[in-house]
């Protein structure tokens, strides 16, 4: 259901853009426990697409998604804490996302380290975990699939 919601949201695979239908599908998928659907609902609330803009609801859905392992949601929570001025919490969210291999989150942690918001030990641990997560997702078969998708084969 979540993927179908994405098709309606983005107008992919020949589906018409229909934010209301997308939100309905995200909601149904989130009720079934889909972390990505919670993330997408959070984004819909943040942007006010087919819903009234509501950051409290956006954060609620991102928190659920983050607890279920969605790194994008975790990064969004970090950005929200940054906006609120809660730098320690912001960096903690970014470090968690980076440790799961999220590149943008690692960039945020690196900036935090340069500005003295992240300790040397935390930064080193985050770098090690990020690299380990990246290594876990590497495979010759995956590289071939990506190359084929990009028309390189």
């Amino acid at each position: 259901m979540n993927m179908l919601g994405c098709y309606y949201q983005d107008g992919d695979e020949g589906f018409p853009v229909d934010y209301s239908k997308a939100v309905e599908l995200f909601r149904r998928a989130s009720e079934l426990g889909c972390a990505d659907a919670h993330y997408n609902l959070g984004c819909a609330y943040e942007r006010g697409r087919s819903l009234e803009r509501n950051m409290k609801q956006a954060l609620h859905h991102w928190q659920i998604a983050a607890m279920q392992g969605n790194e994008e949601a975790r990064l969004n929570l970090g950005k929200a804490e940054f906006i609120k001025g809660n730098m320690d919490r912001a960096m903690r969210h970014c470090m968690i996302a980076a440790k799961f291999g999220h590149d943008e989150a690692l960039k945020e942690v690196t900036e935090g380290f340069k500005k003295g918001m992240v300790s040397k030990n935390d930064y080193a641990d985050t770098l090690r975990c990020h690299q380990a997560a990246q290594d876990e997702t590497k495979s010759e078969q995956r590289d071939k699939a990506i190359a084929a998708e990009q028309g390189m084969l």
Side-chain angles (χ1 to χ4, degrees):
M1 270 186 266
N2 179 64
M3 196 66 192
L4 190 58
C6 290
Y7 291 157
Y8 277 107
Q9 174 183 274
D10 300 330
D12 288 341
E13 303 296 324
F15 285 81
V17 173
D18 186 339
Y19 295 128
S20 296
K21 183 72 172 172
V23 167
E24 175 189 332
L25 289 163
F26 295 151
R27 214 176 248 130
R28 288 173 55 195
S30 72
E31 289 168 359
L32 295 172
C34 178
D36 291 341
H38 278 288
Y39 168 74
N40 288 326
L41 267 178
C43 292
Y45 276 111
E46 176 196 31
R47 296 176 186 138
R49 287 191 173 163
S50 172
L51 300 163
E52 186 172 325
R53 190 170 191 277
N54 184 330
M55 282 307 294
K56 186 176 179 180
Q57 281 296 313
L59 293 170
H60 168 75
H61 286 286
W62 288 338
Q63 287 169 346
I64 294 169
M67 287 187 288
Q68 293 178 349
N70 185 295
E71 298 97 14
E72 288 289 332
R74 181 68 68 180
L75 179 61
N76 284 357
L77 291 172
K79 289 178 179 180
E81 292 296 340
F82 181 80
I83 290 167
K84 292 178 191 176
N86 299 329
M87 301 310 174
D88 186 54
R89 288 179 61 116
M91 286 296 109
R92 291 196 186 286
H93 282 298
C94 290
M95 284 188 285
I96 292 168
K99 287 177 180 181
F100 283 99
H102 196 286
D103 292 330
E104 185 181 346
L106 182 61
K107 289 177 187 174
E108 295 293 333
V109 174
T110 299
E111 286 302 310
F113 174 69
K114 289 177 183 177
K115 294 176 181 175
M117 294 184 285
V118 175
S119 73
K120 185 176 181 178
N121 287 340
D122 284 342
Y123 185 55
D125 184 49
T126 301
L127 286 172
R128 277 191 300 278
C129 291
H130 181 271
Q131 187 60 54
Q134 293 288 315
D135 290 346
E136 284 182 21
T137 62
K138 288 184 182 176
S139 74
E140 186 178 329
Q141 186 177 12
R142 178 180 288 243
D143 292 341
K144 285 180 181 179
I146 291 170
E149 185 177 86
Q150 296 173 346
M152 300 174 90
L153 280 182

